[in-house]
Amino acid sequence: MSIRAFNLHKTFGNYKALDDVSIEVPEGRLVSLLGPSGSGKTTVLRILAGLEFPDRNSGGVVEFHGDDVTNVPAGKRGVGFVFQHYALFKHMTVAKNISFGLRAKPRRERPSKEAIDARVKELLELVQLDGLGNRYPSELSGGQRQRVALARAIASQPRVLLLDEPFGALDAKVRKDLRRWLRLFQEEIKITTIFVTHDQEEALELADEVVIMNNARIAQVGPPQEVYDHPASPFVIEFLGNVNRFTSGVGGPSKAKATEGKGVLYVRPHDVDIQLDESPHEYALRSKIQHIFSAGNYARVTLKRLGYEEPFEAEISRARLRELDLKVGATVSVVFRHVRLFADDRFLESDVREDGRLVEVT
Amino acid sequence: MAAILSRVRHDTVPTTNSATTEPTWVRWLLIAVTVGFVTLFLVLPLIAIFFKAFEKGLIPYFATFKHNPAYTPTYNPADAVNSILLTLKIAAVAVPLNLVFGLAAAWAITKFQYKGKSLLVTILDLPFAISPVIAGLIFILIFSRTHGWLGRALKGEGLFSRWIQHIDENIISLKIIFAFPGIALATIFVTLPFIARELVPTMQARGRDEEHAALTLGAGGWRTFFTVTLPNVRWALFYGIILCNARAMGEFGAVAVVSGNLRGQTTTVPIFIEMLYHGYGSDVNAFALATLLALLALVTLVLKNIVEWRVAKSREA
């Protein structure tokens, strides 16, 4: 089931939650809606589910498999929805929760009691909760509740699965396990899936395609690798992980010099290389080491350029750290392997010349 | 060894933490004042009711409600029984109506956003703020056949009569004030906020997620209401019902204004107690009838505690 939604506008009172948002999800894909809180991602999801409707007369349309479902109520869209805090029915057992949708069907479509029991058993196995059908939600752990919510959402074989911050309320370890499990699960039942998250790591690891939202609009769409390597705006590059931001004293290749307006240069910490020789080339940045943090896979080195106050960070392997024998207070040369230069929020350049030449950003 | 242990225990279990707890004498004083007030104003009167009721033994007590040749009260005991029946009937009308209203109001307040909502919530509390006597007078002002706007208009008199024409004879002859409908209206008025007040915080705390979940699972409005919404608020609802019932049965002020004190016809239990006490019967009769209301209060308190315990338990889960 493919999903297409276009020209979505949504206002709550004076607050603009969505400003002309369009997204397209091909059949069977796992797509992530990623953005900071208040960016409108949950509103998109709720409009797709039929829990909210686009502003009247704004021209917003939701299509499932080419059929216009904009005005179809939630219960008739064939959508499975998993809520951020699970929204399990607390007074019902796990089995009753899972079978709720089947039991709510009109009499002639409703499966027999035996068929419902069999389906519940099958689903409990699928989400690895065999034998817990008679428990109440309060007797389960967070991860188990999440899987009950998932089983309940897919019990009636929906054509689309929508998940709102599905791992938001879980601790780090369970979160990681569960998202890998969800990936395998989604591949197994091949259901078109959209999930909302504010966690870039989660989005990049799990999704086939990432839709990044900011301020009620879509900032960028693309596969994880692509949005990470080619962020289209300062917002995207800053949102997708740690990045050093320079507004003066460095620049991209010569082209940047000609542009007017404010230029900003971004370098990811893992694209910063530290070298000991006085000057590998003319434009290397002489910097002083402020702090070394070496617990973890990589060592993080905080530096300050000579003559500048703002600190920046380099991420180097621990082997490299040992090899260089870096000490706090030492002066080193810094070279950028890969930069992104923006002027007035427009992307300008991304590569550093062979000679590492950097020009002033005005 | 034992000495060390006892010292350790002494050190790790502070008896009074002076930074966060009041000095001992302050605590005792506050407890004493509270217990003193509760005893003086709540416990002693309750004991006094039963004491006075059974002062002359069991025969006068039961003669209050049932004719007994051994002890003949100065009034017809059947009127006392009728007042009990009237009170039960009034509660049977007021409580279900408030149940429907309470659910509708709580739903309207918690599930939708609209202008004037806070005004609605404020108005809902009006019966709490207003004197019950005034509440009774409002209905006199509207329905009285000699003073009320509507009452007079129905008879073809007064300012509003020209808007009312061709009214059915049965409606014109319908008696509201000094009759059952008036007592029911006054009781409904004073008990109106009870159930809604209990439901609103619970519904607010629950949010709408579970209902939305039911919606996405294909359940219709009624099914969602009966299988999801109602079970979630059932204890708050029950709590509201018992409080509403206690007030409906015990209301005096508003009912006194519209009752008309027709013995055995428009006298509820509280009204009849007052009549007995002021000379219509004896003190024993008045207090004997009062024991029923006192028992109602005790039962309400016990139920309330059970419900609160259940609510606390379900919150933990």
Side-chain angles (χ1 to χ4, degrees):
Chain A
M1 171 67 76
S2 62
I3 303 173
R4 213 157 78 94
F6 43 93
N7 306 341
L8 298 181
H9 292 262
K10 182 73 189 174
T11 39
F12 297 106
N14 294 323
Y15 177 71
K16 197 163 231 177
L18 291 183
D19 183 10
D20 199 20
V21 166
S22 302
I23 72 167
E24 213 173 328
V25 181
E27 169 133 30
R29 296 302 270 296
L30 181 58
V31 170
S32 152
L33 281 172
L34 174 67
S37 54
S39 58
K41 53 198 193 303
T42 294
T43 307
V44 172
L45 202 71
R46 293 175 71 89
I47 286 178
L48 294 178
L51 293 172
E52 305 276 3
F53 294 92
D55 285 343
R56 235 177 260 177
N57 304 323
S58 64
V61 172
V62 179
E63 280 178 3
F64 284 2
H65 212 73
D67 299 331
D68 185 346
V69 295
T70 317
N71 295 312
V72 175
K76 301 220 182 322
R77 286 195 187 188
V79 161
F81 199 102
V82 176
F83 291 79
Q84 186 175 3
H85 301 288
Y86 323 130
L88 294 178
F89 307 127
K90 294 171 194 67
H91 57 285
M92 292 182 203
T93 61
V94 166
K96 289 278 179 209
N97 262 284
I98 293 175
S99 63
F100 186 90
L102 296 169
R103 288 183 287 120
K105 279 180 188 293
R107 197 168 293 272
R108 64 204 133 72
E109 291 169 38
R110 200 182 307 161
S112 69
K113 205 185 162 299
E114 293 71 34
I116 289 178
D117 289 346
R119 176 77 178 139
V120 169
K121 194 164 176 294
E122 179 193 352
L123 283 161
L124 282 171
E125 274 165 29
L126 187 67
V127 297
Q128 298 164 8
L129 292 173
D130 322 40
L132 297 187
N134 289 324
R135 297 269 188 97
Y136 281 89
S138 58
E139 299 166 325
L140 302 179
S141 70
Q144 289 173 325
R145 285 180 211 181
Q146 182 59 278
R147 280 178 282 154
V148 174
L150 201 62
R152 182 178 70 176
I154 60 168
S156 298
Q157 281 157 334
R159 306 177 293 177
V160 171
L161 184 59
L162 305 172
L163 306 102
D164 187 8
E165 300 268 3
F167 314 112
L170 301 169
D171 60 59
K173 170 85 174 75
V174 181
R175 210 179 162 112
K176 274 202 163 141
D177 291 348
L178 203 54
R179 78 179 180 224
R180 278 178 196 143
W181 176 84
L182 178 71
R183 175 81 249 197
L184 294 172
F185 172 83
Q186 195 269 344
E187 275 166 13
E188 195 180 314
I189 65 169
K190 293 190 180 57
I191 182 171
T192 310
T193 305
I194 302 180
F195 74 100
V196 158
T197 180
H198 63 264
D199 180 342
Q200 36 89 17
E201 196 189 317
E202 197 167 283
L204 296 177
E205 183 183 317
L206 204 52
D208 297 320
E209 193 158 276
V210 182
V211 177
I212 300 167
M213 293 193 64
N214 184 35
N215 280 334
R217 289 173 158 274
I218 286 175
Q220 194 173 355
V221 180
Q225 178 89 40
E226 155 121 12
V227 292
Y228 189 80
D229 287 345
H230 305 285
S233 66
F235 166 78
V236 175
I237 199 167
E238 284 184 32
F239 193 69
L240 295 180
N242 286 337
V243 72
N244 295 305
R245 186 172 183 272
F246 299 98
T247 50
S248 59
V250 292
S254 54
K255 223 160 123 191
K257 204 177 188 177
T259 64
E260 293 191 358
K262 199 152 177 59
V264 183
L265 183 132
Y266 289 96
V267 186
R268 295 243 179 249
H270 56 73
D271 284 328
V272 177
D273 192 26
I274 297 175
Q275 302 181 349
L276 285 179
D277 36 336
E278 277 287 297
S279 181
H281 42 66
E282 193 181 349
Y283 297 98
L285 301 168
R286 296 294 288 164
S287 306
K288 199 171 174 183
I289 296 177
Q290 298 287 311
H291 183 74
I292 300 172
F293 179 81
S294 56
N297 281 343
Y298 289 89
R300 292 210 315 269
V301 184
T302 312
L303 306 107
K304 263 186 196 172
R305 286 171 294 157
L306 298 182
Y308 292 89
E309 270 313 298
E310 39 179 356
F312 66 99
E313 217 169 61
E315 205 173 83
I316 58 176
S317 72
R318 295 182 70 172
R320 178 85 177 136
L321 183 73
R322 269 195 302 277
E323 185 190 322
L324 293 170
D325 192 25
L326 296 178
K327 292 278 183 316
V328 172
T331 302
V332 292
S333 289
V334 167
V335 173
F336 299 154
R337 280 186 286 260
H338 186 83
V339 302
R340 302 281 290 178
L341 179 65
F342 294 89
D344 290 337
D345 283 359
R346 276 178 308 110
F347 172 63
L348 285 178
E349 292 274 358
S350 70
D351 292 318
V352 179
R353 281 189 183 181
E354 276 287 295
D355 62 358
R357 184 176 167 157
L358 300 163
V359 290
E360 287 291 320
V361 175
T362 51
Chain B
M1 186 66 188
I4 293 170
L5 274 181
S6 75
R7 228 191 114 181
V8 167
R9 278 190 60 180
H10 186 77
D11 286 346
T12 52
V13 185
T15 46
T16 311
N17 184 346
S18 57
T20 54
T21 314
E22 310 300 333
T24 316
W25 68 270
V26 174
R27 279 190 289 155
W28 282 108
L29 183 69
L30 288 173
I31 293 170
V33 167
T34 313
V35 171
F37 267 87
V38 168
T39 311
L40 197 62
F41 290 104
L42 299 175
V43 180
L44 283 182
L46 199 61
I47 294 171
I49 291 171
F50 285 93
F51 181 78
K52 290 287 279 183
F54 291 102
E55 202 178 26
K56 303 239 164 67
L58 287 174
I59 293 171
Y61 180 87
F62 287 108
T64 304
F65 311 103
K66 195 174 184 324
H67 182 71
N68 185 341
Y71 174 94
T72 316
T74 53
Y75 65 97
N76 183 359
D79 287 348
V81 175
N82 282 336
S83 73
I84 294 168
L85 290 177
L86 178 64
T87 297
L88 292 175
K89 279 185 218 157
I90 291 291
V93 171
V95 175
L97 271 172
N98 267 328
L99 176 67
V100 173
F101 170 79
L103 278 168
W107 193 284
I109 287 166
T110 56
K111 311 277 176 180
F112 313 121
Q113 293 300 327
Y114 47 91
K115 277 188 188 141
K117 193 160 103 169
S118 53
L119 187 68
L120 181 70
V121 176
T122 311
I123 292 176
L124 189 63
D125 276 349
L126 193 67
F128 280 158
I130 209 164
S131 158
V133 175
I134 306 297
L137 284 174
I138 292 170
F139 291 104
I140 298 265
L141 192 65
I142 298 171
F143 293 113
S144 164
R145 316 202 114 231
T146 48
H147 307 95
W149 302 329
L150 201 58
R152 292 186 67 203
L154 284 172
K155 289 200 300 181
E157 295 168 16
L159 216 55
F160 301 97
S161 58
R162 60 190 152 122
W163 287 311
I164 298 180
Q165 288 161 358
H166 312 299
I167 300 281
D168 190 78
E169 276 298 312
N170 290 325
I171 293 178
I172 294 180
S173 59
L174 179 72
K175 209 161 155 27
I176 292 170
I177 299 303
F178 304 147
F180 185 86
I183 298 171
L185 282 173
T187 306
I188 290 166
F189 182 90
V190 294
T191 55
L192 206 58
F194 279 90
I195 292 176
R197 272 271 137 194
E198 288 306 319
L199 287 177
V200 166
T202 311
M203 283 191 170
Q204 252 157 5
R206 285 286 182 170
R208 300 216 60 186
D209 272 3
E210 285 183 45
E211 280 143 20
H212 283 161
L215 210 63
T216 61
L217 292 167
W222 287 112
R223 192 181 180 87
T224 303
F225 178 75
F226 283 110
T227 58
V228 177
T229 312
L230 211 50
N232 270 338
V233 299
R234 63 189 189 276
W235 291 115
L237 187 65
F238 183 58
Y239 190 21
I241 290 173
I242 57 172
L243 286 183
C244 179
N245 182 60
R247 182 70 192 265
M249 290 189 172
E251 177 56 28
F252 179 80
V255 173
V257 177
V258 295
S259 147
N261 296 3
L262 303 173
R263 286 154 204 168
Q265 289 175 49
T266 64
T267 50
T268 59
V269 172
I271 304 285
F272 204 68
I273 291 170
E274 202 249 11
M275 288 173 73
L276 291 175
Y277 188 72
H278 282 129
Y280 185 50
S282 72
D283 285 5
V284 168
N285 301 139
F287 280 102
L289 201 52
T291 57
L292 296 184
L293 288 183
L295 279 176
L296 171 70
L298 289 175
V299 169
T300 303
L301 278 181
V302 169
L303 287 175
K304 171 179 169 290
N305 273 306
I306 293 173
V307 170
E308 272 171 0
W309 175 72
R310 291 298 304 249
V311 168
K313 228 180 107 176
S314 75
R315 288 241 171 90
E316 272 168 40

